[in-house]
């Protein structure tokens, strides 16, 4: 194993120009620092973009904090910058805020900062990811009766507003409202020390933090695209934690599996031929051998999926099975569409993201082959994160032709309302098409609570599969986190999106 690590790190140094031979270069000179190796560099640390995995895994509850936190294990909401909250009628919620909190620039936190953060991110011209993903472009009115009290009023009754606010990071008044910031100031336990673009990002412990002092004085993030390199950095002691490794990467017993709540799927552009024909979209579903992909490429680290939300999320429909693998039926549907005049030989671009998950390139190749055998003409395009986002989020790339976008969706809120507003309704930030009937079902489901809510969203997901077919679902994933022997951390379903540094400690 040591030889593997040395070989891998030698290749790493040669490939990147980085020195990895001494501890100072690994930790930026901080004694006792923790090094974490990620799949990719965060494209931004803007807090209102922290719903994006590559940003949130660094920012959320480390640099900035929300009013309320969701326990990723129990799903319960817990106090953070708000100590208590209650509804005042159907549309207004009151939050009592924690006292004695300061931002990392030394300024005190109060209700004006909370109100400012909401107005900056929700319904503003910044185009924040959290606006569309969490708040579905809804309208909020905020008020600050006193420095310790915040009220939020929604245009329509919103029974899960506190859950939505658990995704909104708080920044101080004075933060730029005209442009997204690169290096934010927050109330979290760590502040940004130095970001060497393309090389590393270092966070230092914020000594004025209001809560318990985290164990590590500093944390240095680096990024390596090759998962076997990341695994080798953990086994060799070069990194304390490695994200996004696979079963074949050689981490051995340092690879810790966990339910990451992520679902992989192909988003189909139903606006453009031949994917605007539902027979072709159904053929894509029948053509993909999901069991084979899970068994051979993911080494059983997952299970075939028939919907975008995993078990445990409110609205998950246990009656929905994965589409069966039926290549003959796929060929027949494509032939039927061709006979009806659908241009099935039009080139379709399958877009995937580098390092999105282990074996992502091989997964794209397997799908390309399967769809080719069904009678479709598919070409693969691998992109980095920034370029992939241009296809993933509105406004989409124009004149891209018919596309299949390989996505990985994690519903960390535990409620299908977040998925449907983002991925299924006609004007969703990550949805390319829909139907009025489906939009209406989603809107009605979002006004419900409890068991009725679970049933209503389960019906939405079933209707989508039968009548709209926007997606070819592939697998509910499980993650594998590399954790060095001298580090103690228990991954959970939120780890992929929110790796809370305060929960990481040296092993004793």
């Amino acid at each position: 194993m040591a030889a593997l690590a040395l070989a891998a790190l030698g290749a790493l140094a040669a490939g990147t120009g980085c020195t990895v031979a001494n501890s100072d270069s690994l930790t930026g000179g901080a004694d006792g620092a923790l090094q974490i190796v990620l799949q990719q560099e965060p494209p931004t640390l803007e807090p209102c973009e922290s719903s994006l995995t590559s940003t949130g895994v660094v920012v959320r509850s480390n640099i900035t904090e929300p009013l309320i936190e969701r326990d990723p294990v129990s799903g319960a909401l817990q106090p953070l910058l708000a100590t208590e909250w209650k509804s005042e009628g159907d549309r207004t919620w009151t939050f009592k805020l924690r006292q004695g909190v300061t931002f990392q620039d030394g300024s005190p936190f109060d209700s004006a900062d909370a109100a400012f953060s909401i107005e900056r991110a929700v319904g503003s011209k910044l185009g924040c990811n959290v606006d569309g993903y969490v708040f579905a472009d809804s309208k909020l009115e905020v008020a600050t009766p006193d420095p310790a009290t915040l009220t939020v009023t929604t245009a329509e009754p919103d029974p899960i507003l506190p859950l939505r606010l658990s995704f909104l990071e708080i920044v101080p008044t004075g933060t730029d409202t005209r442009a997204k910031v690169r290096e934010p100031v927050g109330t979290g336990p760590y502040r940004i020390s130095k970001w060497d673009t393309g090389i590393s990002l270092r966070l230092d412990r914020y000594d004025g933090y209001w809560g318990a002092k985290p164990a590590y004085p500093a944390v240095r993030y680096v990024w390596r695209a090759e998962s076997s390199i990341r695994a080798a950095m953990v086994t060799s002691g070069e990194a304390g934690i490695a994200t996004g490794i696979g079963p074949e990467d050689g981490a051995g017993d340092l690879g810790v599996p966990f339910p990451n709540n992520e679902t992989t799927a192909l988003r189909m552009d139903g606006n453009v031929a031949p994917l605007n024909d539902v027979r072709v979209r159904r053929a894509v579903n029948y053509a993909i051998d999901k069991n084979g992909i899970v068994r051979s490429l993911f080494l059983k680290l997952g299970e075939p999926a028939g919907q975008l939300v995993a078990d445990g999320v409110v609205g998950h429909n246990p009656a929905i099975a994965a589409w069966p693998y039926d290549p003959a039926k796929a060929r027949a549907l494509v032939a039927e569409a061709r006979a009806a005049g659908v241009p099935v030989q039009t080139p379709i671009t399958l877009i995937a993201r580098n390092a999105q998950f282990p074996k992502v390139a091989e997964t794209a190749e397997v799908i390309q082959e399967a769809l080719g055998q069904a009678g479709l003409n598919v070409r693969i395009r691998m992109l980095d994160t920034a370029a992939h986002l241009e296809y993933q989020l509105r406004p989409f790339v124009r004149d891209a032709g018919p596309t299949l976008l390989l996505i990985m969706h994690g519903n960390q809120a535990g409620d299908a309302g977040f998925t449907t507003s983002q991925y299924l309704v006609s004007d969703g930030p990550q949805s390319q098409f829909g139907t009025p009937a489906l939009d209406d079902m989603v809107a009605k489901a979002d006004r419900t609570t409890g068991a009725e809510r679970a049933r209503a969203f389960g019906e939405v997901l079933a209707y989508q599969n039968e009548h709209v077919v926007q997606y070819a679902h592939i697998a509910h994933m499980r993650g594998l986190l590399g954790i060095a022997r001298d580090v103690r951390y228990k991954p959970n379903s939120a780890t992929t999106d929110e790796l809370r540094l305060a929960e990481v400690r040296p092993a004793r």
Side-chain angles (χ1 to χ4, degrees):
M1 187 59 68
L4 171 62
L6 289 172
L9 292 170
L12 172 65
T16 64
C18 300
T19 301
V20 294
N22 61 73
S23 60
D24 277 356
S25 68
L26 295 172
T27 64
D31 291 337
L34 171 71
Q35 178 151 273
I36 297 176
V37 56
L38 307 171
Q39 297 102 306
Q40 58 193 308
E41 183 175 16
T44 175
L45 297 181
E46 163 59 55
C48 77
E49 299 289 72
S50 60
S51 299
L52 301 174
T53 296
S54 52
T55 296
V57 72
V58 173
V59 172
R60 296 186 64 190
S61 291
N62 295 326
I63 301 170
T64 58
E65 297 177 305
L67 296 177
I68 298 166
E69 268 192 335
R70 178 182 179 272
D71 185 311
V73 178
S74 68
L77 296 180
Q78 299 175 332
L80 199 66
L81 294 180
T83 56
E84 58 183 281
W85 54 92
K86 63 179 181 179
S87 61
E88 310 277 2
D90 289 340
R91 300 190 297 116
T92 298
W93 292 77
T94 298
F95 300 83
K96 291 296 182 182
L97 306 185
R98 189 177 299 279
Q99 300 298 285
V101 176
T102 59
F103 290 98
Q104 293 138 7
D105 62 2
S107 61
F109 159 75
D110 63 21
S111 59
D113 302 297
F116 171 82
S117 300
I118 293 171
E119 292 181 326
R120 178 178 183 269
V122 182
S124 74
K125 295 182 179 179
L126 276 183
C128 296
N129 184 262
V130 72
D131 190 9
Y133 176 51
V134 177
F135 292 92
D137 299 317
S138 57
K139 304 298 181 186
L140 302 179
E141 293 181 7
V142 295
T144 55
D146 60 65
T149 306
L150 170 77
T151 67
V152 182
T153 301
T154 58
E156 301 291 336
D158 186 352
I160 62 167
L161 180 68
L163 176 60
R164 296 187 199 278
L165 288 175
S166 72
F167 284 86
L168 194 144
E169 306 294 299
I170 302 300
V171 295
T173 57
T175 302
D176 199 332
T177 57
R178 297 167 298 178
K180 295 172 183 173
V181 299
R182 182 174 185 271
E183 298 187 10
V185 170
T187 62
Y190 287 91
R191 62 178 179 79
I192 300 171
S193 173
K194 187 177 183 181
W195 187 357
D196 286 331
T197 303
I199 299 174
S200 67
L201 167 68
R202 174 174 156 170
L203 307 184
D204 284 350
R205 190 166 55 198
Y206 171 47
D207 291 335
Y209 183 57
W210 61 270
K213 184 170 72 174
Y216 288 98
V219 177
R220 185 172 188 255
Y221 295 93
V222 296
W223 32 89
R224 305 290 182 256
E226 180 59 48
S227 59
S228 61
I229 295 290
R230 297 194 296 275
M233 290 178 71
V234 166
T235 58
S236 68
E238 300 288 350
I241 291 178
T243 64
I245 63 174
E248 293 180 317
D249 289 330
D253 63 354
L254 300 184
V256 180
F258 65 101
N260 65 6
N261 208 9
E262 298 277 359
T263 299
T264 50
L266 284 177
R267 188 188 73 189
M268 297 183 275
D269 184 355
N271 299 303
V272 186
L275 295 173
N276 62 354
D277 189 286
V278 71
R279 290 167 294 196
V280 175
R281 300 198 298 274
R282 288 175 175 143
V284 172
N285 274 282
Y286 284 120
I288 299 174
D289 182 1
K290 292 163 280 292
N291 276 297
I293 289 174
V294 169
R295 184 175 59 251
S296 301
L297 295 180
F298 301 165
L299 299 183
K300 301 181 180 179
L301 206 62
E303 60 182 66
Q307 55 195 305
L308 275 182
V309 297
D311 188 15
V313 174
V314 172
H316 170 83
N317 188 338
I320 297 177
W323 286 65
Y325 173 50
D326 192 336
K329 195 164 188 175
R331 287 193 297 271
L333 283 166
V334 171
E336 182 181 331
R338 181 190 296 112
V342 177
V344 297
Q345 272 300 295
T346 302
I348 300 171
T349 306
L350 196 170
I351 300 169
R353 195 179 83 197
N354 294 315
Q356 189 173 27
F357 54 83
K359 302 289 186 183
V360 60
E362 292 85 348
T363 300
E365 290 168 2
V366 166
I367 293 172
Q368 179 190 36
E369 172 65 19
L371 298 185
Q373 292 182 8
L376 299 174
N377 179 10
V378 177
R379 58 190 179 188
I380 296 173
R381 189 175 182 196
M382 301 295 298
L383 300 176
D384 61 22
T385 299
H388 190 269
L389 284 174
E390 294 181 5
Y391 290 88
Q392 185 176 343
L393 298 170
R394 290 182 184 272
F396 303 124
V397 174
R398 300 182 63 180
D399 302 323
T403 58
L404 299 167
L405 185 73
L406 187 55
I407 66 165
M408 190 162 70
H409 167 56
N411 187 319
Q412 303 305 339
D415 188 290
F418 292 87
T419 298
T420 55
S421 64
Q422 182 88 352
Y423 290 88
L424 297 187
V425 298
S426 300
D427 59 352
Q430 300 198 48
S431 172
Q432 287 190 304
F433 74 105
T435 68
L438 185 64
D439 293 350
D440 186 55
M441 288 182 70
V442 171
K444 289 178 178 175
D446 211 26
R447 292 194 288 269
T448 61
T449 60
E452 184 184 359
R453 187 176 184 87
R455 178 194 56 76
F457 275 116
E459 291 178 355
V460 166
L461 298 174
Y463 181 91
Q464 191 287 140
N465 276 14
E466 184 173 356
H467 298 283
V468 191
V469 198
Q470 294 155 298
Y471 293 88
H473 308 102
I474 299 173
H476 298 307
M477 310 288 277
R478 285 177 62 82
L480 199 64
L481 194 74
I483 303 177
R485 297 194 192 284
D486 61 351
V487 173
R488 180 177 298 167
Y489 174 70
K490 186 176 182 179
N492 55 60
S493 63
T495 293
T496 303
D497 298 303
E498 182 181 348
L499 204 170
R500 299 175 187 174
L501 297 174
E503 297 176 359
V504 186
R505 309 186 67 81
R508 301 296 183 188

